[in-house]
């Protein structure tokens, strides 16, 4: 797609910058990080202050305000050097601790502006959820400055999370690839989950992104791409992430420590059989290239690994969740003595030691099916419009 063909979109934060009154009266706390920029790449916090917004505090998620923290990390930052505003770290903070943090900040409203990537286990949306719960309990208004879903909004994929498997990579009944914007997801969660946890829904407002339509993925808009976290460098990474993130629950490298995280997977025990076996599956919209790589950190750091790179050939046909599940089944079949599951990573609070694949999938059904040699693809659910699971009333965009 040429630059001339890309669609102009006014994000929620750009609209708030133009009209600060959209957030309502009182002192504002901005939930943001390095992705919180205007379309011309100006950081939102100083721009809002210059526009006259009554901004008094900043709140950072996983990876921190400036996005320097790796997975499971934030930043030890107490004041923003660009604005002088206090910075409150929300990562691994929930319940009464988050209520106290919110009350102590002195804000009357929270404005949420983080770039999601459309997968249930991306933690920014659960930071949003936890803050919505605290906002409901403490009487703070919650405003979502909406942004497009970089995967588009036509399809969702994968099962709804079983509440028995709730964690910080999934707190409520949302599919793996959800197909909603953060504003739409906030509307769904407010009605289905926040009201039960907090005893009441949050006072929620959504500043819509004008010009976005559900068929538009990241490259189809004129908005700049800012890597949402250290291991999502490009829109191509985001396209495969709802599937290949499942490899975080295994002893297979998902490409962290390389320049192509989540686009490549590999392990010391994988051999020449893997790529041809995947090619035989004839999965739609993707080709697999045999490759070797050496991660500089994370799993198997410094070791020569063999595996595959996913080359997405048709974005509309490609189903990332089904693709990854087929890859997991193939690994178990080819390497039964070497392939293994991992327990929960440090990024999941509470010292949870359950298999991390169960938390990512939202139940233990995938792991059990793969281990039993059963076909796990029926568990994926066919891709479906987001309105089917979330309800048409939560959708904001055509």
């Amino acid at each position: 797609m040429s630059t001339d063909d890309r669609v102009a979109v006014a994000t929620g934060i750009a609209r708030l910058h133009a009209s600060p009154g959209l957030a309502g009266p009182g002192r504002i706390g901005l939930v943001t990080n390095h992705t919180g920029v205007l379309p011309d790449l100006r950081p939102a916090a100083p721009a809002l202050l210059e526009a006259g917004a009554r901004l008094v505090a900043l709140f950072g998620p996983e990876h921190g305000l400036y996005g320097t923290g790796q997975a499971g990390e934030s930043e030890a930052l107490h004041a923003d050097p660009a604005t002088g505003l206090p910075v409150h770290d929300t990562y691994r903070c929930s319940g009464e601790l988050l209520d106290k943090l919110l009350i102590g900040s002195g804000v009357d409203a929270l404005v949420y502006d983080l770039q999601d990537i459309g997968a249930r286990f991306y933690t920014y949306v659960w930071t949003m959820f936890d803050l919505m719960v605290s906002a409901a309990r403490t009487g703070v208004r919650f405003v979502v400055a909406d942004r497009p879903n970089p995967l588009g909004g036509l399809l969702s994929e994968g099962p709804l999370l079983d509440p028995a498997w709730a964690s910080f990579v999934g707190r409520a009944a949302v599919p793996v690839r959800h197909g909603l914007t953060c504003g739409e997801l906030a509307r769904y969660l407010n009605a289905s989950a926040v009201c039960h946890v907090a005893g009441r829904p949050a006072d929620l407002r959504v500043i819509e992104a004008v010009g976005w339509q559900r068929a538009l993925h990241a490259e189809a808009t004129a908005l700049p791409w800012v890597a949402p976290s250290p291991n999502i460098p490009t829109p191509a990474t985001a396209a495969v992430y709802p599937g290949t993130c499942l490899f975080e629950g295994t002893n297979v490298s998902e490409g962290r420590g390389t320049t192509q995280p989540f686009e490549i997977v590999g392990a010391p025990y994988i051999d020449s059989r893997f790529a041809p076996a995947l090619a035989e599956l004839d999965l739609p919209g993707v080709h697999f290239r045999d490759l070797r790589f050496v991660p500089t950190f994370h799993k198997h750091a410094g070791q020569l690994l063999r595996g595959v790179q996913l080359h997405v050939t048709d974005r509309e046909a490609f189903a990332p969740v089904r693709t990854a599940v087929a890859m997991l089944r193939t690994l178990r079949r080819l390497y039964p003595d070497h392939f293994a599951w991992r327990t929960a990573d440090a990024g999941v609070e509470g010292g949870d030691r359950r298999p991390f694949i169960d938390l990512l999938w939202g139940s233990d059904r995938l792991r059990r099916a793969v281990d039993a040699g059963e076909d796990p693809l029926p568990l994926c659910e066919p891709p479906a419009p987001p309105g089917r699971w979330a309800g048409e009333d939560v959708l904001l965009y055509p």
Side-chain angles (χ1 to χ4, degrees):
M1 176 174 288
S2 70
T3 302
D4 291 342
D5 293 331
R6 294 186 300 170
V7 176
V9 175
T11 58
I13 202 68
R15 294 184 61 209
L16 180 61
H17 175 253
S19 302
L22 289 174
R27 296 159 296 184
I28 296 171
L30 182 62
V31 186
T32 191
N33 64 2
H34 60 290
T35 66
V37 295
L38 302 180
D40 62 4
L41 291 174
R42 280 183 294 164
L48 288 176
L49 285 172
E50 292 172 4
R54 197 178 173 190
L55 187 60
V56 299
L58 303 177
F59 296 78
E62 183 182 9
H63 309 296
L65 185 68
Y66 285 90
T68 63
Q70 282 290 336
E73 299 176 357
S74 56
E75 294 168 336
L77 188 66
H78 302 291
D80 175 27
T83 62
L85 294 173
V87 177
H88 302 282
D89 184 7
T90 68
Y91 186 50
R92 299 186 185 175
C93 185
S94 60
E96 291 185 6
L97 287 177
L98 194 56
D99 292 354
K100 291 178 180 178
L101 185 152
L102 202 53
I103 293 169
S105 72
V107 301
D108 302 299
L110 284 176
V111 173
Y112 178 92
D113 180 39
L114 293 169
Q115 179 62 66
D116 182 41
I117 62 169
R120 182 218 295 145
F121 26 66
Y122 206 62
T123 63
Y124 293 170
V125 295
W126 304 115
T127 289
M128 179 180 74
F129 175 81
D130 289 345
L131 284 168
M132 287 175 65
V133 170
S134 284
R137 286 196 292 236
T138 59
V140 171
R141 190 168 60 255
F142 199 90
V143 181
V144 177
D146 213 4
R147 291 180 174 271
N149 184 324
L151 305 183
L154 292 178
L155 295 175
S156 57
E157 190 182 0
L160 295 175
L161 176 136
D162 181 338
W165 299 91
S167 73
F168 195 50
V169 290
R171 295 231 191 271
V174 173
V176 174
R177 173 188 176 188
H178 54 71
L180 301 180
T181 67
C182 284
E184 292 173 328
L185 193 58
R187 285 158 58 92
Y188 166 76
L189 292 171
N190 203 35
S192 64
V194 171
C195 57
H196 299 299
V197 177
R200 64 180 68 85
D203 178 3
L204 174 66
R205 307 178 187 184
V206 178
I207 304 174
E208 298 177 30
V210 175
W212 188 70
Q213 299 182 7
R214 311 201 78 81
L216 300 177
H217 51 75
E219 297 99 322
T221 77
L223 295 172
W225 175 262
V226 177
S229 56
N231 290 290
I232 308 291
T234 68
T237 319
V240 298
Y241 176 83
T244 52
C245 182
L246 295 173
F247 285 89
E248 289 187 354
T250 75
N251 65 350
V252 177
S253 168
E254 63 274 12
R256 292 184 189 272
T258 77
T259 59
Q260 294 175 299
F262 299 107
E263 294 183 65
I264 62 178
V265 299
Y269 54 81
I270 291 176
D271 57 23
S272 61
R273 294 175 292 165
F274 189 41
L278 294 178
E280 290 178 2
L281 300 178
D282 197 24
L283 296 166
V286 62
H287 290 162
F288 298 94
R289 181 177 67 88
D290 179 64
L291 88 162
R292 294 164 176 81
F293 62 95
V294 179
T296 59
F297 63 88
H298 206 248
K299 297 179 196 170
H300 311 302
Q303 297 183 53
L304 177 64
L305 310 184
R306 191 166 185 174
V308 296
Q309 179 177 356
L310 287 76
H311 291 264
V312 177
T313 58
D314 185 334
R315 179 67 65 84
E316 282 67 39
F318 177 60
V321 178
R322 290 180 65 85
T323 298
V325 167
M327 294 171 71
L328 290 171
R329 182 192 187 195
T330 302
L331 283 165
R332 171 59 86 190
R333 178 175 62 81
L334 291 178
Y335 313 105
D337 296 329
H338 300 284
F339 175 80
W341 308 106
R342 301 175 72 226
T343 53
D345 285 351
V348 179
E349 78 277 36
D352 199 323
R353 303 307 296 169
R354 290 177 291 180
F356 195 42
I357 188 66
D358 296 356
L359 304 185
L360 292 168
W361 189 251
S363 77
D364 62 357
R365 295 181 66 194
L366 174 62
R367 176 174 55 84
R368 291 183 179 278
V370 170
D371 285 348
E374 301 170 357
D375 182 4
L377 289 179
L379 301 177
C380 296
E381 304 290 339
R388 184 177 299 177
W389 69 269
E392 293 292 338
D393 58 323
V394 310
L395 304 186
L396 295 170
Y397 306 94

